[in-house]
Structure formats: structure tokens, C-alpha cells
Amino acid sequence: MGLAHFRTCYRPAVTEALRARASIAAGRPVDIASLAVFRMLFGLVMAGSALRVLTAGWIGPMYEEPRWFFSYPGFAWVKPWPAPGMYVHYGVLLVLALAVAAGWHYRVALGLFLVGFLYSQLVDVTNYLNHHYLVVLLAGLLIVLPAHAAWSLDARAGRVDRRETVPAWMVWLLRFQIGVVYVFAGLAKLKADWLLHGQPLNLWLAARTETPIVGGLFGDPRTALAMSWAGFLFDTTIALWLSWGRTRLVAFGALVGFHGATGYLFNIGLFPVIMTTGALIFFPPDWPRRLLRRAAVRVEGAAEPPGRAARIAIGIYVVLQIGLPLRHVVYPGALLWNEDGMRFAWHVLIREKHGSVTYVAKFANGKQLEIPPGRWLTWRQEREMSGQPDLILQLARAIDRDLAARGFRDYTLHAITQVSLNGRRPAPLIDPTVDLRTLGDVGARDWVLPAPTEDPPVVEY
Amino acid sequence: MLRRYLVASVVAFAACGEGGASDGNDGARIDAPDDGVNRTQLLTHLGSDIFLPMYTDFEASAATLSTKVAAYCTALEGGAVGATHDEAKAAWRAAIDDWQAIDAVLLGPAAMDGKILRDRAYAWPLVSPCGLNRDTASRWADPSTYDVTTQPVNERSLAGLEFLLFTTETAHGCPIVPPGWDALGSNLPAARCQHAAALAADVATTAQTLATAWRPTGGDFAGQLGRAGQSGSMFPTEQAALNAISDGFFFADRMIKDMKLAQPAGIVDNACATVQEPCLREVEHLEADHGTFAIRINLAALKTVFMGGEELGFDDLLRAAGSNDLADRMIANLDAAIAAAAAIDDSFVSALSSDYTDVVAAHGALRAITDDLKTQFLTVLALEIPDDVATDND
């Protein structure tokens, strides 16, 4: 029997059988409990997040103090509310998040929360955080899932048909999303700085030698290297261990320890909380009932495989979620240096980067005018911009428009940059001879200079 | 005192000249070994031996200033000014010199709460000649209605005192004539002196408040710095305390490099819209023409804090972290900037017209410092930029 014969006669049948089995498995009813708890925890964590922004004094520095904002392509029209509008905005987000947790007018509340949260992020690119992106994705997924069909005020009030089960694919989708974050956060660590030099962990730990009990170890670069490898292995494999029943409990314990430690040592806000609560979705769907010792529900019933439209939407979503983090592979240059493909890709805490940027307008008459970014940006914005070429270019365009509006003519605009990556000696990031006014949004970014080739330093106390 | 910082910088610079940039200060300094720095010792030393004396010096010079201005006013009333005006001006120079050392690496109570205490001591660039003239007239007409503590900072501080003691301008400079201005007539010097006396007393009070906040017998901020990471300190960790100090270093960027040098010289945008041409409106200490001294003292103080004088400093932290080259480079750049500032004419106003290249050279030397401060210095020591509200990071 030849291969051609197999292809002709058997492969369609095999494929069809697999597809049918997958469809049945995906549609198999499972307890709704874990999905409902996921909704509650998501809402509570988001409420905590909004409360944090309101009480930590972040509204001013993020929305009121900047004189100018970096925008995402096509969203330059998104501006912050006039003061004290952003306080009201986050106050509303807090209420909406609590409504999501309680399952009160769930879809409306979550929809408004999603729009409001997106708005708060679109105001300024320098506000970008990986876990903010994750919040947007999870809210987007939850809004299409009937997470309010149990243990919610909507179900109690009869605004939604009460359900005891949901098809398994709904839980799988959330597991996929959480798993994607871990796996790509792990793959992002597949770099020489991380795995061979223990950077930037070595720099960060060396500054925390006063940590109780274990601080003495942090001055030893071998600790950083060991933790780098541990982090890499943890991130790349934890979804696997969480998916396997025999290792799940131990894996979750390790996860709690990992996120507890990173949350204690590093200033990463709610990321550990989001990931820890999110990872609960890997437990069997009835885990909340078991935990509460409530009677198990009958998970019998007709399978509800996703319909054609849902399958297509899920397929697109999955491809996007795998493709976006990998897009940097096809971009030339070193990712940590040129940041090409850095956002929306789960490159979480993998670099320590600081830069210094000065713009220079050179006039035809031989004179030149320097424009320090501090004239446009807060310190926080300047820090974020200084290592990101696309933001440096975006501010250059704003400066160009400003100079032109003030009557300056016949000049070229340049960026004088110095950037230190993972403790290396500063090196120029942008070609200072390039007139930034001539650059477009597409095409090779040859105006970004190559990354330094030297190894990062190793700090030892 | 000014002399202390100038002597320290001259000694360091001379040593640099003898030994080259890479090992310039080793001979003169008693540094920690390269294999470790006790951060508690470093913070204690900086708090008690470097910062606290700055505030006590300022407290003393501000008190002297208040006394000298009062004496000048008394002499004015008696019609025999003699040397009292010059003595008051000299006292102002001494006080501002002490303040410029503090301002160069602002830390502690003066850097908190929106820098309210800093602005009460010295609010530049916030100064309003019109407001000061208006206050002068209203206070002269009815002293009981004037309360300096309710005035905005641009009508107080050493900046306001500079105007009142040094200006020779008799025009009020306001869009409309301030009430009582025309009635001042020949009493204008006396009225300005009386007003200056009120401001000087206010500055002396602020200086006393700040020094008390640093003293072990008062707020013990110096002690809090040394006890960082322990109970009773406002700094939860030693790293947070180091970060608070390093925040102060960035004064060199936006204030010295940009505002004190680049704006008056037209290197960056300025109020006169000049490009590579002077703009006197942007000059610090225009009335006293003391701007060059301010820059020199700023840089000397920056170096003193960075190197911990002759003991533990941030350079030792860098060396302990294995970044000898960065420590050497930053010290060499500081020395170069100090030398560049020393080359500027004592009169900054004159320097802008006749000594322009030296001003530009000093600006370039400052950039070499701030480039390292903003980049490798932060990454190697895992420090944050100033005014960072510690938002999340991932």
C-alpha cells in the first residue's frame, strides 16, 4: 500500500474521525463552576486594580501631568478626560468590575469595563504593560462566554438562563490563553543575556541583597543564573504540568511560590495575582464545588460543539495569539535592542534598559537647536520612550510639526541617543545622521543601529 | 560652605590631572575595597557627614542674611547706609551658595510634598518682579496687612530677595500700576528693604525648619537615611534610600544642563526664541549676576555626594558592582564639567556674549554626565528615574 493510496483513501477518513472526536470532546458538557469562579476572581482583581490606580497617586502622573501622549496607530484621537475625569473613569471601572464579579448585568458591565479599560490604555503607549494586555484579552473572551449563568445576580434574577454546565471548549479557551502567556514568556527568555549571563536578574537581585533570609544569596551571580534558568523552565512548562492531573497540585503550589516571590521582589503589580487566579482554570471544572463540598452537578447532556462561526473565530484568535508573539522572528535585528515586535508578545520582565535622547534640529544656515524630551514628556514617559525606537520616531514627528508651526524652515531633525541594555556601556540606538523627518511607518528600520555585541556585565557583591 | 565644595572639587580635579581619568582620585581617597560596600555605612555617611552639614550651613547663612538685611534697613532709616547694603548682598551670596549645594542633590523634607520647602527657600525659576513690587508697595502702605506666609512662592524665597536687594530698576513692571506704588517715591529703597527683611526672616525660618528636620535632635532625617530598611525609617529598603539620593542627581539634567546653561545660551528653546544666541531673561541670578557661581557650586556638590566626599559614595557602589570603568568615566566627566564651569567668566551675563563657546562647552560636558546618569548608572545599580511614581512594570 503506497503513500499515495493512503492519502487518497484513508487520510480524509482519519482526519474526519479526529475532527469528530475533537468536536465531541470540545462540546462535552463540564461543570460551569470554574468558569463562574474565574469571572468572580477576574472582577475582583480588576476592582482591586482600579482601586490601586485611584489610591496610589497614579492618575496624575499617567493622565494629568503629561503634556503630550504617545498614541497607537489610528488612535491619536484618544485623549484623557480633563481633570478630574480620570478619577471618575477609574471609579466607574471599579464599580463595573464589581458588577462583573457579582454577575450583575454581566455582559453590559463587562462590555463597558472592556471599553473603559481599553480607553485608559490607548491614551498613552507608555502605559503599556503585558498584564494590561492580558486583561483586555481575558475580558474579550469572558464577554462571549456565559460565565454569569451560574453563581451570579443575573442568574438569580432570571436575566439569564441558569446553567449547570458549559461545553468544555469554553474552559479550554481560557486555559489556552493563560498557557500562551506562560509559554511565550518562557520562550522570550531564550536569549543569551538571560540564560548565559543571568541578566537582567543579576542586576535586580544585586540591588536586593537586604531581602530577609535569602538576600545574602542575591549578591552571588550564580543565584541569578539559577533563577534565570528556573524562570525559563517554569514559564515554558508550567502549563503542561498544570494540565496533567498527577502534577497539577504540585505545579500550582510551585506557581504560587513563583508568583509570590516575583511579586515580592519586583514591582510587577497585579501580574502575579492575575496569573495565580487565572491558573485555577487548569483545575477540573468542578473544583469550586469540591472545595466548598457542595453536591456535584450532573454533567450529562447533549454535547455543544462550537458552531462553524465560533470555530472560525476561535481559529483566528488562536492563530493571532500564537503569531503575534512570534512575529519578531521574521524581523531583523536583536529584539531587546530594537524592540521590534516587543509589545503584545509576552516579553515579560526580560530587560533592564535606560536611555538618553536629545533631538537636534539642524538648520541650513549652520545653526542648530536642541530639543530635550523633558520639554514634552514626564520622566516616566521619557524613560519608556528612550529605549523604544518607534516612540522616539513618534515624538520626533510631533517636534517636527511643532517646529514647522512655529515658522522654522529648512532643517533636518536628528536624534542623539545613548542606551544601556542590561548594564552594558551606553551605545547609540538611532543613527544620528538620519533625518527623522524623512522616515515612514513601513520599510526596513535601518535607522536603528545594531545592538552592542559585548556581553553584559555581571554584578557580584 | 562654598569653600568646602570648591576645595573638594579642586583637589579632585588636580588629582585627576596628575593621574589621568581612569585612576584620578585613588591617591586622595580612602575608598571601600572593590569587593564590597556596606550600604548602611554609605547611607549613614552621606546623611550625617555630607547632607546634614549642608543644611546646618544654610541655616547659619540664612540667619546671618536676615540679620544683615535688618541692619541695612536700620541704616537706611538712619540715612547712613554705609557698607550695610554691600554686607546684605554678600550675606545673600553666602546664603544662596549654601543653598545651591543643597539644590544640586535635593533630598529629604525639601524634596517632598511638591518641594514646598524647597520653593520657600529658593523658588527659581519662579520669581515675579511685578508681584514683589506690588507686595513692596502694599506692605509699605500698611505693614499689618502683609503676611509673608500666605504669599505665593514666586514672591518669596532667596530669588525674591535677590531682586529686592540687587535690582536698580525703579519701574514696577506690572500691566497696571500696583496700588500705592506711585506714593513710594524716594522711599522705594526703604520699602524694598523692609520687604526684603520680611522675606529674609521667612527664608531663615525655612532654613531652620529644614535643618531641624535633618538633625538627630529634630526629625533625624539623616538618621532615617542611615537606618533605611529598618523600623523607624521612612525608607523601606536601602535601595529606596539610594534611589531617593540618585533622584537628586537628575538636577544636573533638567536644571543645570537645560535651564541654567542651554536656555540662556539659546542651545534649546527659550523665552526669547533665540537659536544659539543669548537670552538674558533665562539667566539664573540675573540681578546679582551670580549664575556662573551657582553652576560651579552645583557641580561641586554633585561630585561631593556622588563620591561621598573622601569616603564611601556612589562611585564605590559602582566599583563594587564591577563597573570600575563607569565609575572612572563618571568621575572624569564630573571633573571635566567642573573644569568647563571654571572656565566660564565669573559674570555669566558677560560670558553669554563674550565667552559663548565656554558656555556651550560646559553644556556639552554636562551632557556627558547626564547620558551616563540616565543610562548605565541606572541599569547597573537597578535604580529608577526620578519622580517615578513606581507604577507597575512588566
Side-chain angles (χ1 to χ4, degrees):
Chain A
M1 189 167 58
L3 187 59
H5 180 74
F6 174 83
R7 280 180 179 156
T8 309
C9 301
Y10 292 98
R11 197 172 69 170
V14 170
T15 307
E16 193 54 41
L18 284 174
R19 185 181 296 168
R21 288 188 64 177
S23 182
I24 290 168
R28 178 174 54 86
V30 297
D31 195 328
I32 195 175
S34 70
L35 184 59
V37 169
F38 192 94
R39 180 206 79 225
M40 291 180 200
L41 293 175
F42 178 80
L44 289 174
V45 173
M46 289 305 99
S49 172
L51 188 63
R52 235 171 129 236
V53 174
L54 282 168
T55 57
W58 294 349
I59 298 279
M62 289 170 72
Y63 301 107
E64 294 176 353
E65 290 169 16
R67 286 158 281 181
W68 187 82
F69 296 92
F70 291 97
S71 59
Y72 288 95
F75 290 96
W77 52 273
V78 181
K79 302 293 180 198
W81 303 109
M86 291 309 297
Y87 283 94
V88 176
H89 185 90
Y90 272 92
V92 171
L93 284 182
L94 191 158
V95 173
L96 291 169
L98 289 175
V100 170
W104 185 71
H105 294 281
Y106 168 72
R107 286 212 159 102
V108 173
L110 186 53
L112 290 173
F113 175 87
L114 177 56
V115 171
F117 190 85
L118 254 178
Y119 164 86
S120 72
Q121 299 307 301
L122 290 173
V123 164
D124 192 356
V125 180
T126 63
N127 291 344
Y128 175 85
L129 289 175
N130 285 296
H131 72 263
H132 288 167
Y133 174 48
L134 178 61
V135 166
V136 170
L137 295 177
L138 290 177
L141 290 175
L142 281 174
I143 208 166
V144 299
L145 303 179
H148 61 321
W151 298 356
S152 74
L153 295 179
D154 283 344
R156 177 172 288 187
R159 283 190 291 271
V160 62
D161 290 339
R162 194 183 290 269
R163 300 178 63 140
E164 297 286 357
T165 64
V166 289
W169 66 265
M170 294 185 177
V171 176
W172 292 359
L173 197 54
L174 291 173
R175 287 177 182 169
F176 166 78
Q177 185 56 68
I178 299 295
V180 156
V181 176
Y182 279 118
V183 170
F184 283 108
L187 293 178
K189 295 176 173 66
L190 200 56
K191 293 180 171 56
D193 274 18
W194 188 273
L195 294 177
L196 299 183
H197 306 290
Q199 293 294 20
L201 264 186
N202 168 239
L203 294 170
W204 296 337
L205 293 178
R208 289 164 177 78
T209 51
E210 59 193 304
T211 303
I213 302 172
V214 294
L217 297 172
F218 291 168
D220 188 335
R222 289 172 299 185
T223 304
L225 196 58
M227 287 178 67
S228 294
W229 273 93
F232 166 70
L233 294 172
F234 172 87
D235 278 343
T236 46
T237 63
I238 190 65
L240 182 69
W241 308 127
L242 286 169
S243 302
W244 189 18
R246 290 187 179 184
T247 52
R248 185 174 299 124
L249 209 54
V250 174
F252 188 73
L255 182 145
V256 171
F258 176 83
H259 286 307
T262 54
Y264 176 76
L265 288 171
F266 310 121
N267 187 28
I268 48 179
L270 289 173
F271 186 74
V273 182
I274 294 173
M275 295 311 289
T276 303
T277 54
L280 290 168
I281 199 69
F282 283 90
F283 281 86
D286 61 348
W287 73 264
R289 286 187 216 277
R290 290 195 205 178
L291 191 71
L292 298 172
R293 302 186 187 285
R294 294 173 70 158
V297 297
R298 294 170 64 86
V299 291
E300 297 173 355
E304 291 181 75
R308 180 177 166 76
R311 285 203 306 275
I312 292 172
I314 292 168
I316 292 171
Y317 185 82
V318 167
V319 168
L320 269 177
Q321 286 307 309
I322 293 172
L324 271 176
L326 288 175
R327 71 190 189 282
H328 70 88
V329 173
V330 297
Y331 298 151
L335 171 70
L336 294 185
W337 183 249
N338 63 28
E339 308 257 335
D340 215 355
M342 191 79 167
R343 293 185 207 108
F344 316 116
W346 315 117
H347 294 288
V348 182
L349 278 180
I350 56 167
R351 60 159 166 74
E352 177 71 13
K353 197 175 187 184
H354 287 283
S356 174
V357 179
T358 302
Y359 295 93
V360 180
K362 295 183 178 178
F363 299 96
N365 63 5
K367 291 192 172 184
Q368 63 179 44
L369 182 68
E370 294 190 7
I371 302 102
R375 297 297 179 89
W376 290 73
L377 309 175
T378 64
W379 277 114
R380 188 186 61 80
Q381 288 178 303
E382 186 177 343
R383 176 194 65 186
E384 293 298 320
M385 176 207 69
S386 297
Q388 303 186 48
D390 62 331
L391 299 188
I392 292 172
L393 180 59
Q394 196 176 134
L395 181 57
R397 287 172 176 159
I399 289 170
D400 180 35
R401 287 192 294 272
D402 179 61
L403 289 173
R406 288 161 52 199
F408 289 103
R409 298 284 182 271
D410 299 328
Y411 62 89
T412 57
L413 187 60
H414 308 264
I416 311 299
T417 55
Q418 288 287 310
V419 173
S420 170
L421 173 64
N422 289 343
R424 288 180 178 84
R425 171 188 273 264
L429 175 66
I430 308 295
D431 185 343
T433 65
V434 168
D435 179 7
L436 299 176
R437 303 175 78 199
T438 64
L439 301 177
D441 286 321
V442 293
R445 301 211 306 185
D446 50 6
W447 46 279
V448 180
L449 294 172
T453 53
E454 69 189 46
D455 289 340
V458 174
V459 176
E460 180 174 6
Y461 287 117
Chain B
M1 293 297 233
L2 166 64
R3 191 167 56 241
R4 178 184 307 162
Y5 302 108
L6 291 180
V7 167
S9 61
V10 167
V11 167
F13 183 65
C16 177
E18 290 163 12
S22 61
D23 59 355
N25 299 286
D26 291 348
R29 300 175 55 243
I30 307 164
D31 266 356
D34 284 357
D35 58 353
V37 167
N38 184 318
R39 292 178 177 216
T40 304
Q41 281 181 9
L42 185 153
L43 290 166
T44 301
H45 164 61
L46 290 179
S48 301
D49 304 334
I50 303 292
F51 285 110
L52 177 57
M54 289 182 180
Y55 285 93
T56 53
D57 285 350
F58 179 56
E59 181 186 31
S61 56
T64 303
L65 171 62
S66 183
T67 305
K68 292 293 183 185
V69 174
Y72 167 47
C73 295
T74 304
L76 263 177
E77 284 174 15
V81 173
T84 56
H85 193 190
D86 287 340
E87 287 171 5
K89 288 179 178 177
W92 178 87
R93 288 192 186 93
I96 195 67
D97 287 349
D98 283 341
W99 179 260
Q100 291 289 0
I102 290 172
D103 223 10
V105 188
L106 202 64
L107 175 71
M112 297 173 183
D113 302 323
K115 300 183 180 175
I116 289 174
L117 288 175
R118 184 266 174 192
D119 285 345
R120 284 183 192 164
Y122 182 52
W124 188 80
L126 303 176
V127 57
S128 167
C130 165
L132 287 160
N133 284 331
R134 189 179 55 233
D135 291 348
T136 298
S138 66
R139 191 180 184 285
W140 181 258
D142 184 1
S144 66
T145 60
Y146 181 80
D147 179 5
V148 67
T149 61
T150 62
Q151 303 306 311
V153 292
N154 64 355
E155 295 171 20
R156 297 167 70 171
S157 90
L158 287 167
L161 266 165
E162 177 187 355
F163 175 79
L164 293 171
L165 289 175
F166 288 84
T167 188
T168 53
E169 181 61 67
T170 54
H172 54 73
C174 299
I176 56 171
V177 180
W181 180 262
D182 289 336
L184 284 174
S186 60
N187 289 322
L188 180 59
R192 277 185 170 153
C193 188
Q194 293 294 337
H195 192 47
L199 264 55
D202 181 50
V203 169
T205 302
T206 301
Q208 191 176 38
T209 302
L210 287 168
T212 303
W214 275 84
R215 281 198 184 92
T217 52
D220 194 21
F221 194 84
Q224 292 199 47
L225 201 60
R227 294 191 301 276
Q230 302 169 31
S231 62
S233 172
M234 66 170 292
F235 298 105
T237 62
E238 291 174 343
Q239 183 73 4
L242 291 172
N243 218 128
I245 299 171
S246 85
D247 284 355
F249 291 158
F250 286 80
F251 182 88
D253 184 59
R254 292 194 179 176
M255 293 297 279
I256 309 178
K257 177 172 72 71
D258 291 345
M259 295 188 69
K260 299 190 181 195
L261 286 165
Q263 282 182 200
I267 296 169
V268 302
D269 263 348
N270 57 35
C272 311
T274 57
V275 176
Q276 291 188 305
E277 286 175 16
C279 175
L280 295 183
R281 283 157 60 190
E282 300 278 19
V283 172
E284 183 187 27
H285 301 319
L286 181 63
E287 296 291 349
D289 197 7
H290 198 65
T292 303
F293 294 96
I295 293 165
R296 290 173 186 164
I297 294 165
N298 288 158
L299 291 170
L302 175 62
K303 182 178 175 183
T304 299
V305 176
F306 180 77
M307 298 183 69
E310 296 188 349
E311 296 180 35
L312 286 174
F314 279 76
D315 59 326
D316 299 299
L317 272 182
L318 292 173
R319 292 184 200 287
S323 292
N324 283 305
D325 58 340
L326 175 60
D328 290 339
R329 194 170 70 238
M330 290 188 74
I331 292 169
N333 286 337
L334 275 166
D335 287 332
I338 287 167
I344 299 175
D345 193 298
D346 283 353
S347 165
F348 195 75
V349 173
S350 299
L352 284 174
S353 54
S354 61
D355 201 14
Y356 186 81
T357 52
D358 283 335
V359 176
V360 173
H363 175 261
L366 251 300
R367 183 194 280 167
I369 296 172
T370 58
D371 274 355
D372 275 331
L373 267 181
K374 289 176 166 179
T375 57
Q376 197 178 8
F377 174 75
L378 292 180
T379 57
V380 166
L381 297 181
L383 296 167
E384 295 292 334
I385 56 160
D387 294 336
D388 192 359
V389 288
T391 49
D392 293 342
N393 179 25
D394 70 32

